[in-house]
Amino acid sequence: MSKRIAAGWDGGGTKTRVCLLDETGTEAAVRDFGPLNINGAPETTVYSTIQNALEFMADTAGDGGICPELVIGMAGVSNRNAAVFVEKTVRECCYRGNLQILGDQEIALAGAIEGHGAVLIAGTGSVCNGKDLSGKPFRVGGYGYLIDDPGSGYAIGRDILTAVVRASDGRGKPTCLQSLVFRALKIDDIGGLITWLYDPATGKQGVASMARLLPDALAQEDETAIRIADRAADDLAEIVLAGWRKTGMADGELALAGSILEHFDRIRDRMVAEIHAVFPDIRIGFPRFDPSHGAARLALRKMIDN
């Protein structure tokens, strides 16, 4: 049966999730496809992702159905070449509806909350993206691992590696993180760690991957691990508090997203306590919907308005 649907894509470096909503806002279909970011995948692969996603949209709409609005959220959208390539390819694949390409943080916010507030994302990086009482957008943090991203997986991984070399030198206290790092990297000494760290293949993702060792060290009540976790919690709380202070909000929703906030209980609980000590009326929880659903909601609003 033909119908009108609104489409939202959450395009990343490894997969693209497509969410389709009907005119009532009910999920019509959801499916995952390949990567959408030419910064990390060949253009031919991204082209295939777009082609397959558009075919999925057409099949869901059915004969005579249409998808008049498509919102694509993608990491790396600040790279103009990536956004231009995606837009050009979507049109080459014969999509004729309205198209909007946004940053991934924008669609995450659209799916995460209702009304005013923010989504705090702490994965490899960290950022607080929100909208104030009047609907005006705001952002705190998210300036990249070289100068910012406190409380992120990268920051935690870096702090773990710093603690290991300091302990080895005698500048820091002994920590079980050293044996955990050596075992994870299959190395025997600090020389092996430095070789791994400065290998171009390691990159920021490699450093961020060391954050996964923190829970084991916390379970052993390692003093250094506790300090690293508490610092991450304090830094993330500071990001949120800065956002609420700069906008003059006293309540609203805060949605917590990303692997650090989803899986690191000590960091999340300490951060929440610090936020509530200053703004007790903020409602803190996890996102209502995922980013692809958020993108589809934005598309649906435009479809209804038009």
Side-chain angles (χ1 to χ4, degrees), residues 89-132:
T89 304
V90 167
R91 296 308 186 189
E92 285 180 358
C93 291
C94 300
Y95 178 72
R96 298 291 178 258
N98 296 317
L99 171 64
Q100 187 175 17
I101 298 178
L102 304 173
D104 55 352
Q105 75 278 1
E106 294 179 78
I107 64 168
L109 176 63
I113 66 171
E114 296 283 359
H116 60 283
V119 57
L120 174 65
I121 304 171
T124 300
S126 64
V127 65
C128 182
N129 191 58
K131 52 186 177 180
D132 65 16

Side-chain angles (χ1 to χ4, degrees), residues 127-282:
V127 65
C128 182
N129 191 58
K131 52 186 177 180
D132 65 16
L133 287 162
S134 64
K136 181 180 177 181
F138 71 89
R139 188 183 86 168
V140 179
Y143 299 107
Y145 72 102
L146 289 177
I147 60 172
D148 198 37
D149 289 355
S152 66
Y154 181 88
I156 293 170
R158 179 202 59 214
D159 288 352
I160 287 173
L161 297 177
T162 299
V164 168
V165 296
R166 288 179 61 86
S168 176
D169 278 352
R171 291 181 289 152
K173 292 184 177 181
T175 171
C176 70
L177 287 166
Q178 179 167 318
S179 62
L180 290 172
V181 168
F182 283 11
R183 188 181 310 128
L185 298 180
K186 296 180 174 59
I187 58 175
D188 300 315
D189 54 29
I190 293 297
L193 171 58
I194 299 305
T195 299
W196 170 84
L197 179 62
Y198 289 99
D199 185 326
T202 297
K204 68 176 182 179
Q205 292 291 346
V207 173
S209 73
M210 292 296 98
R212 72 182 190 276
L213 305 177
L214 191 62
D216 284 348
L218 291 172
Q220 299 179 48
E221 298 184 352
D222 182 270
E223 184 177 337
T224 300
I226 291 171
R227 186 171 66 252
I228 291 172
D230 289 352
R231 175 184 176 183
D234 296 346
D235 286 345
L236 290 170
E238 182 180 55
I239 291 174
V240 174
L241 294 174
W244 256 255
R245 286 173 174 140
K246 76 188 289 187
T247 58
M249 297 187 299
D251 56 12
E253 282 189 72
L254 175 66
L256 309 179
S259 58
I260 301 303
L261 293 168
E262 290 169 3
H263 304 302
F264 290 57
D265 294 350
R266 182 185 179 94
I267 294 175
R268 183 180 64 247
D269 293 347
R270 179 183 173 97
M271 181 201 73
V272 168
E274 291 182 9
I275 294 169
H276 276 158
V278 181
F279 294 106
D281 294 329
I282 297 178

Side-chain angles (χ1 to χ4, degrees), residues 9-13 15-16 34-38 46 49-50 72-74 86:
W9 297 8
D10 176 20
K15 74 173 183 179
T16 297
L36 197 68
N37 192 340
I38 61 170
V46 175
T49 295
I50 293 171
I72 300 176
M74 52 186 285
V86 168

